[in-house]
Amino acid sequence: MHELSIVMGIIEIAEEELKKAGKERVTLIELEIGSLSGVELEALDFAWEPAVRGTVLEQAERKIDYIEARAVCVDCNSSFKIEHIYDNCPVCGSYLKNIVKGKELRVKALEVV
Amino acid sequence: MCGTCGCGTDNISIRKPGEITELQHFVQITDHVHDHHHGHDHHHHESVHIDLEKNVLDKNQLEAERNRGYFEAKKILALNLVSSPGSGKTSILERTLKDLKDEINFYVIEGDQQTMNDANRIDALRIPVVQVNTGQGCHLESDMIYRAVKELNPVENSVLMIENVGNLVCPAMFDLGEDKRVVIVSITEGEDKPIKYPDMFHTSDICLINKIDLLPYLNFDLEKLKDYALRVNPNLKFFEVSATTGQGMDRWYDWLREEIGKKQNL
């Protein structure tokens, strides 16, 4: 359950930004999570509530921008959607690919008051 | 970033074998403070939008790079050993240390949720070792390595073996600043481990296939395991070994010597 450390990291980022902005609390937090980021949304949900209790994120609305993974084949240069890390190129069958999208694990934006 | 919840009620300890387990001997990793920021500036109550695009793992990554810089400066080869529990990580490590300790200066960081057991096994070989107990945490993070390395104070041109918490999921996401990641899988596990836990195999450089001496007694398809692993990571390099009989360990040792050479000639 590394999602808990992930939430702790998010809280830390929110606390830092809030301090910098000289504000009191976060009303909205937007996250970008890729389908291959290694984070399970269900596990994140499970970890979220107890972790943010008593923090600047306690009352924040959470928006998740879920990003589907895409790769580019190293052999034939086709761009394709991938569901798993081990998916191969649908055009030439190669497993050699660069994952160009889907690894995101970012705090995109905050709204603070 | 803290790997434990409850904010400080469940501390991480970093200690050497034989150290008294009193609180002052613990390095407490409770960086985060859950304070509210009650700013009292009542003129600014309008909502402000902050565009961030900040990676959640930035802090771990930054500390990992700091570790990497330290290892590079001291020409220390750092390996991160990862696997599921029971694959024989500690046995492979023990055998490697026993066979090569006259030739190589080793240092070891042991990661487990609880107990000093693994550190005591390494200590019995007279190899400097620090045990990191992560409490509820399921993986090592780069700041734990930073603190453990400070305790170890390794000499130049040495090899640091980091044995991560036995877990094929979580440690994959956390760079520790290692040169190479070594995933260990044993043939008493399923052939489909690489596609069940692809992140770990995707982020590893080397795959040690352990318990190879048991092959005649098991219904295990070695080629299938490799095929699955190569689908996840076409660059993965395999060594078939047995920590018990020593079979295949020579090729792993040759690889280790080669990597040490590369590091020292950087």
Side-chain angles (χ1 to χ4, degrees):
Chain A
M1 256 283 284
H2 54 280
E3 280 78 5
L4 192 55
S5 336
I6 301 297
V7 180
M8 302 311 286
I10 294 170
I11 294 168
E12 212 171 304
I13 289 170
E15 280 173 349
E16 269 168 34
E17 291 303 318
L18 199 66
K19 212 173 186 177
K20 268 193 237 165
K23 295 288 186 179
E24 281 178 26
R25 62 190 173 87
V26 180
T27 51
L28 174 75
I29 182 158
E30 285 182 63
L31 306 175
E32 282 179 317
I33 299 179
S35 59
L36 297 181
S37 66
V39 169
E40 285 296 327
L41 292 187
E42 261 181 46
L44 187 77
D45 251 349
F46 182 75
W48 189 268
E49 231 185 87
V52 302
R53 203 171 294 148
T55 76
V56 300
L57 286 179
E58 185 165 13
Q59 285 158 24
E61 183 194 343
R62 192 189 67 194
K63 271 193 195 164
I64 295 179
D65 191 358
Y66 192 69
I67 300 166
E68 299 282 354
R70 289 195 73 82
V72 172
C73 177
V74 171
D75 288 326
C76 78
N77 219 26
S78 310
S79 169
F80 55 99
K81 209 175 119 179
I82 52 170
E83 208 177 315
H84 307 108
I85 285 180
Y86 50 84
D87 288 346
N88 59 346
C89 172
V91 179
C92 75
S94 171
Y95 285 99
L96 282 167
K97 60 187 176 288
N98 287 318
I99 297 171
V100 291
K101 249 165 99 176
K103 287 280 198 181
E104 297 79 0
L105 182 52
R106 288 198 287 252
V107 178
K108 191 179 172 191
L110 291 171
E111 266 178 35
V112 296
V113 289
Chain B
M1 192 186 307
C2 171
T4 65
C5 60
C7 196
T9 54
D10 203 354
N11 291 319
I12 290 154
S13 83
I14 298 178
R15 59 195 149 127
K16 291 177 179 165
E19 260 179 35
I20 312 156
T21 59
E22 278 175 337
L23 213 61
Q24 71 261 31
H25 288 271
F26 286 18
V27 179
Q28 311 278 343
I29 303 183
T30 48
D31 281 335
H32 61 273
V33 182
H34 288 181
D35 54 344
H36 284 275
H37 297 283
H38 294 293
H40 288 287
D41 191 351
H42 295 289
H43 302 289
H44 299 286
H45 274 302
E46 70 276 16
S47 168
V48 175
H49 183 91
I50 307 168
D51 278 317
L52 262 184
E53 292 290 344
K54 191 175 168 104
N55 282 324
V56 174
L57 294 174
D58 258 7
K59 198 178 165 216
N60 184 73
Q61 198 57 46
L62 202 69
E63 281 164 3
E65 297 306 344
R66 183 167 65 177
N67 292 343
R68 195 165 277 123
Y70 174 84
F71 298 144
E72 200 177 312
K74 294 192 88 169
K75 296 181 188 290
I76 294 167
L77 178 72
L79 302 182
N80 182 3
L81 309 181
V82 294
S83 81
S84 49
S87 66
K89 264 195 316 298
T90 314
S91 300
I92 287 184
L93 188 56
E94 270 179 316
R95 177 113 201 178
T96 305
L97 299 177
K98 239 184 252 172
D99 289 348
L100 301 182
K101 68 176 182 181
D102 294 334
E103 175 186 340
I104 297 165
N105 281 323
F106 284 108
Y107 293 85
V108 176
I109 297 172
E110 281 290 344
D112 283 296
Q113 286 199 325
Q114 306 286 338
T115 83
M116 291 289 289
N117 291 358
D118 282 0
N120 290 336
R121 280 167 69 175
I122 304 303
D123 187 52
L125 301 169
R126 299 275 163 261
I127 304 280
V129 58
V130 160
Q131 178 81 47
V132 180
N133 282 140
T134 56
Q136 299 300 314
C138 47
H139 58 271
L140 294 175
E141 293 185 14
S142 51
D143 61 339
M144 300 174 195
I145 300 306
Y146 176 74
R147 289 162 195 229
V149 166
K150 267 190 168 173
E151 290 281 312
L152 282 173
N153 196 18
V155 299
E156 283 194 23
N157 301 316
S158 53
V159 173
L160 175 68
M161 297 284 208
I162 304 165
E163 184 179 339
N164 218 313
V165 178
N167 177 344
L168 266 184
V169 186
C170 312
M173 288 184 73
F174 297 87
D175 185 0
L176 304 179
E178 72 266 24
D179 292 287
K180 299 283 178 191
R181 191 171 287 184
V182 180
V183 61
I184 293 149
V185 62
S186 64
I187 63 165
T188 51
E189 304 168 57
E191 294 103 342
D192 55 356
K193 273 276 163 82
I195 54 169
K196 277 184 173 166
Y197 303 98
D199 288 315
M200 195 60 95
F201 288 84
H202 185 68
T203 58
S204 292
D205 305 284
I206 294 297
C207 177
L208 298 183
I209 305 171
N210 194 25
K211 307 187 188 177
I212 204 74
D213 53 312
L214 298 179
L215 200 56
Y217 314 104
L218 299 168
N219 206 358
F220 188 87
D221 189 341
L222 200 56
E223 289 314 307
K224 203 168 170 186
L225 169 82
K226 288 184 185 174
D227 180 52
Y228 280 143
L230 287 172
R231 285 187 203 183
V232 175
N233 180 358
N235 300 315
L236 202 61
K237 214 172 168 177
F238 301 97
F239 295 107
E240 297 163 23
V241 300
S242 165
T244 308
T245 66
Q247 188 183 334
M249 295 293 278
D250 283 346
R251 283 186 55 228
W252 151 244
Y253 296 159
D254 285 344
W255 176 84
L256 203 56
R257 290 185 187 105
E258 208 177 292
E259 290 304 312
I260 294 167
K262 279 188 209 163
K263 188 85 190 193
Q264 292 176 357
N265 292 322
L266 262 184

